Amino acid sequence: MGYRWYDARGIAVTYPFGHGLSYTTFAYSDLELTTGTKGITATVTVTNTGGRAGREVVQFYVAKPDSSVARPPQELKAHTVVALAPGARDRVSVLIERQDLAYWDIRGDRWIVEGGGYEVRAAASSRDIRATATVEVEGDVFVLPLTLDSTLGEVMAVPGAAGILGSLMPMPQAAAESDALGVDMARMMASVPVGRLLGFAAGAVTREDLEKLLVQLDAARTAAART
C-alpha cells in the first residue's frame, strides 16, 4: 500500500510519503504552470528561510478532481532537488510529461489524456502542500462507439440522450436522487454500464431495442461532431 491508498481514505500517517529531515526550513512561492505539446512545465520559487545551508527535494503532485474515471486524489509526477545557502532563493522548473497524465482505457486498448483542468501541487511531502495552481490541458480526441458496455455517463453526454433513454425505460432510483445523495453517488451511477439498465426495465425493453437506440445516438453524436 502506498501514499495514494492512504490519501484516498483520508488516513493520517506518521511519516508522509516524500518527507525528509533538514537542519533548515524552506518556503515555496509563485507557482506557475504552462502547457505545451510535451506536457506541463511547473516553475516555483524556493527560499531557504533557515539559518543553515540545505537541500530540498521539491515534489510536484497532480490531481484531477473532476475526472470522468477513477483516479487517486493526487499522484507524484515529477521532482527536483535544490541546494540553497541561508536566505538564498532559486526558481526551479520540472516538466510533467503529457504521457504521465494519461489513463489506460481498457475498451480502447490505449492510453488517453483526459482534457480539462489539472491541479498541480508543489510540496515538501504528500501531506505538506506548499503551493497549488490549475492549468487547462487539451485532451486526446478519441471517441468509442456506444455499446452496452458504454457507461451511463458517456451515453447521457450525447445531446437528447437523457430524454430518449428516460422515455424508453425507467431510470434507477439512485440516479434520479443523485443530487440528494451527493457527488459520489452521481459519479458512481455515471460509471455504470448502460446495459445494466435492462435489469430495471423488467422486460419492457429488450437488448435489441437498447442496441438500436445506441446506434441511433452514436450516429447523432458523429453528425453533431462534424458540424
Side-chain angles (χ1 to χ4, degrees):
M1 294 182 291
Y3 69 97
R4 293 176 294 185
W5 189 89
Y6 289 98
D7 286 350
R9 289 156 181 79
I11 299 174
V13 295
T14 303
Y15 300 105
F17 175 80
H19 88 287
L21 300 177
S22 177
Y23 290 105
T24 189
T25 55
F26 297 90
Y28 296 26
S29 60
D30 301 324
L31 174 62
E32 293 183 351
L33 307 176
T34 58
T35 59
T37 57
K38 293 184 178 180
I40 302 172
T41 298
T43 305
V44 68
T45 298
V46 182
T47 304
N48 184 341
T49 56
R52 298 190 180 189
R55 296 169 68 251
E56 176 77 336
V57 179
V58 186
Q59 303 159 46
F60 293 85
Y61 295 82
V62 175
K64 196 173 193 320
D66 63 347
S67 178
S68 61
V69 297
R71 294 176 183 258
Q74 62 178 11
E75 295 179 279
L76 178 67
K77 294 300 183 182
H79 72 278
T80 188
V81 179
V82 60
L84 295 171
R89 66 178 58 186
D90 194 8
R91 193 122 175 101
V92 299
S93 295
V94 297
L95 173 65
I96 301 171
E97 296 189 9
R98 181 178 174 83
Q99 63 189 26
D100 290 335
L101 303 176
Y103 69 91
W104 181 257
D105 189 289
I106 58 174
R107 292 172 300 157
D109 195 32
R110 56 167 285 184
W111 292 96
I112 297 176
V113 174
E114 186 178 11
Y118 284 79
E119 192 174 281
V120 178
R121 303 164 181 172
S125 78
S126 63
R127 298 293 177 89
D128 188 1
I129 309 299
R130 303 294 183 84
T132 301
T134 301
V135 67
E136 290 290 320
V137 173
E138 185 176 349
D140 292 334
V141 178
F142 180 69
V143 180
L144 285 168
L146 295 177
T147 69
L148 295 179
D149 292 326
S150 299
T151 65
L152 186 57
E154 289 171 335
V155 175
M156 288 298 199
V158 179
I164 297 173
L165 200 58
S167 63
L168 185 65
M169 62 176 64
M171 299 298 290
Q173 187 66 20
E177 298 176 354
S178 59
D179 288 342
L181 294 175
V183 175
D184 289 341
M185 178 59 73
R187 286 185 177 177
M188 183 189 74
M189 291 306 304
S191 66
V192 172
V194 70
R196 293 191 181 180
L197 294 181
L198 292 171
F200 297 95
V205 178
T206 66
R207 179 188 181 94
E208 291 72 22
D209 291 334
L210 186 53
E211 287 178 334
K212 289 179 181 178
L213 173 62
L214 293 176
V215 170
Q216 294 173 4
L217 291 175
D218 208 13
R221 180 179 61 173
T222 302
R226 291 174 178 172
T227 59

